[in-house]
Amino acid sequence: MDITRFIVSQRDKALLVGDHGSYRKQLSRRLLVVRKKLNCSSKGRKYTPKSPITAEDIASNHEYVHLLLLTAERAWALAMYMKATHAADSNTQGTTGSTKRHIVSKLQRASSYAAHLVTLLQDTDKSGASTESILEARAYQQSLQGAIKFEKKAWEQCLQSYSETRLLYIALARSVGTKQDDVFKDLLAGTIDQSMRYAAYQLKLPRTISLEMIVARYVQKADNRYVAEALKSNPDLLLEPGQAAKKDVQGELADTPKAITWRSRTVKLEDATTAQALASVSAAESKLASFLDANQDVDRRAKAAAFDDVLIPSQDAVDAVKTAIDELTAEGVTQGDPRMQSLQITRTAVNYNLVEWRVGRNRVLCGEQDGATFESQLVKQPKKPRADGKPRVAQEESTGRKLTRLKEMVVLYDSTLQSLDSVKGFPGVAADQLFLNEIHAKKAYFSSLRCLAIARSHTLQGNKRNALALLAHAAELSSRAMSSSPPTDSATEGIPKLEIDPAQAKSLKDLLDRSVLQYRALVELENLKSETSKQNAASRSPPMIERLDAYPAEGVVDLTNLVTYPPKLQLIPVKPIFLDTAWNYIDYPGRPKKGTATALDGEAEETPSRAEPKKEAKKGWFGFGR
């Protein structure tokens, strides 16, 4: 029936975009839809008694289970909405008086619906429910009971209800397998574990007591058929209070560490949550090492994906230490207190460990030798044969694909450098000059790789001068990385982390030195070729006086080619329109002026009737138009 998954999915969908008030409204709309589907709606008659749900109804349609769950969730959502509203109001002093009673009544209403569902599912002959469904319903009902006791400040009863809830959810997580237990993990980490920690704090229980020990101490084992059913398939769920071990959700026994070492300083782990998180990290590291040993030929992306199983518990360990520090700060513990000093050292250790795994994942994604070797890949050919029957020829990847790969590598190097910069802000690192020198050396190593990747991209685009400058800078940076020497770590041998192999650093330095010599020669040849081409072009190009409309190349005027000397007789192109225009403004010999008469050799003027008609001068462009 997937009761837990149904509840968690409903909460996640609503709380992702709203609060508990919007969740309650969404549940009301969903209830109308479910009741209409089951034909049990009241059709507007508010006080019409509804027919009770029976086990036979659940056997015929599982929507009746959803009907009870949605009704319980609506009451729970209203209680949480009122609690959040009063907690955010600065004018009130928490939830007191009638508001507190109203919240408790809504939680009791939700618990009654959940208890009714458990009662119906217990009749397996009529309901057809499985054992897992009954345990899920019981765990949900006990979580609501724990919330009621939490509001009433009955801390011991609260721990009893939440202990049974946690026990049942862990047993269910083991039964469904590792691929589907995220729902139970999120539910435990989100509400139940935090409430148990607060209740244990109110009962003044020591911080060193783990949640598993609290469960073993407060769970009601006598006359509890649900706990007995959970222990039937998992008899090792309950631990004795004095036993210093824990069981994870996969059922593997992991020793909880008692202390942690950071650069020759060893401190005790007084916080149980931090110790459990570090135990989970150690177990995940062992799994990753065995996976990489058994799958050495796997694609680099698959190897990088395996690092996520270590990064998640490492982040949980960081969060656990931060929570412990915040709790001590809220209690008024000063920074000079030994407990606070131990937690600060632990915080630096777990944060640096997280940075190491992040850098290791980036190094795996970069490829062989952290991306120092960059080889062309063959384009994947389609499996379908060619139409002409000829075999397909393997082709190299295009320049665009190579540039994309180099861009991805530069992004990974930037992420690594940012992670190394964050190390400088950890507590106690600024005073450790030797450690800072190691960080600077490692940063120089990855900076040289970044410059090498950018230089290769310039080479693909034909910019050899830029590539030479970047390679020279990378060679200078790689010389600083020669001083870093990694400590031997047998637990994570073979797993790339933040430590740099001196042989690998020397190999990078040799590669960069060879590349600098190679590109220096290529740039020199390019310069010689450019100078020769300029000289040839200057000898063939026209003089500067004939190229006044063009700006000189590179802003330099060739003073040796200004004019042609000695001058040569050359044709000058003239536009014909100039002659047509000049006809109207130039007086030619023998041409009479406009409005005057001309007498030649003393002859008398002719009469107007005998005079020859005057020829009109050309007007307009090309002699026509006027």
Side-chain angles (χ1 to χ4, degrees), residues 60-94:
S60 62
N61 194 343
H62 288 173
E63 289 290 337
Y64 285 99
V65 177
H66 295 169
L67 182 61
L68 291 173
L69 291 176
L70 291 173
T71 309
E73 279 290 288
R74 184 173 63 172
W76 175 84
L78 178 57
M80 294 298 104
Y81 175 70
M82 290 189 295
K83 183 177 179 180
T85 303
H86 282 264
D89 191 359
S90 59
N91 296 327
T92 60
Q93 297 179 353

Side-chain angles (χ1 to χ4, degrees), residues 307-377:
F307 276 74
D308 294 340
D309 295 335
V310 182
L311 288 173
I312 294 174
S314 298
Q315 184 64 53
D316 293 340
V318 172
D319 296 339
V321 176
K322 184 178 182 302
T323 302
I325 293 176
D326 292 342
E327 290 177 356
L328 288 181
T329 304
E331 294 176 5
V333 179
T334 61
Q335 294 294 329
D337 190 271
R339 293 177 296 170
M340 187 67 76
Q341 291 292 322
S342 300
L343 284 175
Q344 293 291 355
I345 295 174
T346 306
R347 182 181 183 181
T348 302
V350 296
N351 275 282
Y352 185 74
N353 186 53
L354 178 61
V355 169
E356 282 187 317
W357 288 112
R358 285 177 179 171
V359 173
R361 182 179 181 275
N362 293 342
R363 294 178 69 178
V364 169
L365 285 173
C366 289
E368 295 293 333
Q369 297 184 6
D370 300 332
T373 58
F374 185 78
E375 298 178 357
S376 299
Q377 297 180 354

Side-chain angles (χ1 to χ4, degrees), residues 178-466:
T178 58
K179 295 183 179 180
Q180 300 178 355
D181 63 347
D182 292 339
V183 176
F184 301 100
K185 286 182 178 180
D186 295 340
L187 193 58
L188 289 174
T191 305
I192 299 171
D193 288 356
Q194 296 179 7
S195 300
M196 291 182 65
R197 277 294 174 193
Y198 187 79
Y201 169 76
Q202 293 294 335
L203 291 175
K204 296 181 172 28
L205 295 179
R207 294 178 180 273
T208 55
I209 297 180
S210 64
L211 290 177
E212 284 75 11
M213 295 180 182
I214 294 175
V215 170
R217 179 181 299 182
Y218 285 93
V219 70
Q220 299 293 323
K221 298 181 287 293
D223 300 331
N224 194 328
R225 53 179 297 188
Y226 308 102
V227 174
E229 186 66 32
L231 294 177
K232 186 183 298 183
S233 56
N234 301 279
D236 54 351
L237 272 177
L238 295 180
L239 300 176
E240 296 297 330
Q243 186 178 0
K246 68 177 283 290
K247 289 282 187 174
D248 58 3
V249 292
Q250 286 81 14
E252 296 180 356
L253 188 63
D255 293 334
T256 305
K258 297 295 184 182
I260 187 172
T261 302
W262 166 251
R263 296 188 63 81
S264 72
R265 296 192 64 177
T266 302
V267 295
K268 294 182 178 180
L269 294 175
E270 299 181 356
D271 186 67
T273 306
T274 304
Q276 293 173 9
L278 290 176
S280 301
V281 173
S282 301
E285 290 177 1
S286 302
K287 290 181 181 179
L288 177 62
S290 60
F291 173 80
L292 294 179
D293 291 340
N295 302 275
Q296 296 183 357
D297 298 333
V298 177
D299 182 58
R300 56 189 176 91
R301 297 188 182 276
K303 292 181 180 179
F307 276 74
D308 294 340
D309 295 335
V310 182
L311 288 173
I312 294 174
S314 298
Q315 184 64 53
D316 293 340
V318 172
D319 296 339
V321 176
K322 184 178 182 302
T323 302
I325 293 176
D326 292 342
E327 290 177 356
L328 288 181
T329 304
E331 294 176 5
V333 179
T334 61
Q335 294 294 329
D337 190 271
R339 293 177 296 170
M340 187 67 76
Q341 291 292 322
S342 300
L343 284 175
Q344 293 291 355
I345 295 174
T346 306
R347 182 181 183 181
T348 302
V350 296
N351 275 282
Y352 185 74
N353 186 53
L354 178 61
V355 169
E356 282 187 317
W357 288 112
R358 285 177 179 171
V359 173
R361 182 179 181 275
N362 293 342
R363 294 178 69 178
V364 169
L365 285 173
C366 289
E368 295 293 333
Q369 297 184 6
D370 300 332
T373 58
F374 185 78
E375 298 178 357
S376 299
Q377 297 180 354
L378 298 178
V379 179
K380 187 177 181 181
Q381 299 293 333
K383 296 181 180 180
K384 185 178 180 180
R386 293 178 52 173
D388 54 3
K390 296 181 180 180
R392 295 185 181 273
V393 181
Q395 299 178 356
E396 278 194 19
E397 61 180 344
S398 61
T399 303
R401 283 194 174 186
K402 292 180 182 178
L403 291 175
T404 302
R405 288 172 51 202
L406 290 171
K407 185 177 180 180
E408 292 175 355
M409 293 172 62
V410 171
V411 171
L412 293 173
Y413 294 139
D414 288 337
S415 175
T416 300
L417 294 175
Q418 290 177 3
S419 299
L420 289 174
D421 287 335
S422 66
V423 174
K424 301 176 183 178
F426 295 164
V429 172
D432 194 344
Q433 189 60 40
L434 182 60
F435 181 66
L436 284 177
N437 293 337
E438 295 180 6
I439 294 298
H440 289 316
K442 294 169 184 176
K443 187 178 178 181
Y445 172 78
F446 290 106
S447 297
S448 63
L449 287 171
R450 181 179 181 273
C451 292
L452 175 60
I454 299 176
R456 283 169 173 162
S457 66
H458 280 285
T459 302
L460 293 174
Q461 295 177 346
N463 301 326
K464 294 184 176 61
R465 294 184 181 180
N466 297 346

Side-chain angles (χ1 to χ4, degrees), residues 107-124:
L107 291 175
Q108 289 175 345
R109 184 182 180 88
S111 179
S112 65
Y113 280 108
H116 181 52
L117 176 61
V118 174
T119 304
L120 294 177
L121 294 179
Q122 284 178 354
D123 193 356
T124 55

Side-chain angles (χ1 to χ4, degrees), residues 555-593:
V556 179
V557 179
D558 186 7
L559 301 179
T560 62
N561 192 22
L562 295 178
V563 296
T564 303
Y565 188 84
K568 298 179 182 179
L569 184 62
Q570 297 178 350
L571 297 177
I572 299 176
V574 179
K575 297 180 180 179
I577 193 172
F578 175 76
L579 301 178
D580 296 334
T581 306
W583 179 266
N584 295 330
Y585 300 98
I586 299 176
D587 293 334
Y588 291 94
R591 176 185 174 189
K593 294 183 178 181

Side-chain angles (χ1 to χ4, degrees), residues 438 441-442 480-488 498-503 505:
E438 295 180 6
K442 294 169 184 176
R480 306 177 191 172
M482 300 293 292
S483 59
S484 63
S485 56
T488 58
L498 191 51
E499 305 301 335
I500 301 171
D501 188 3

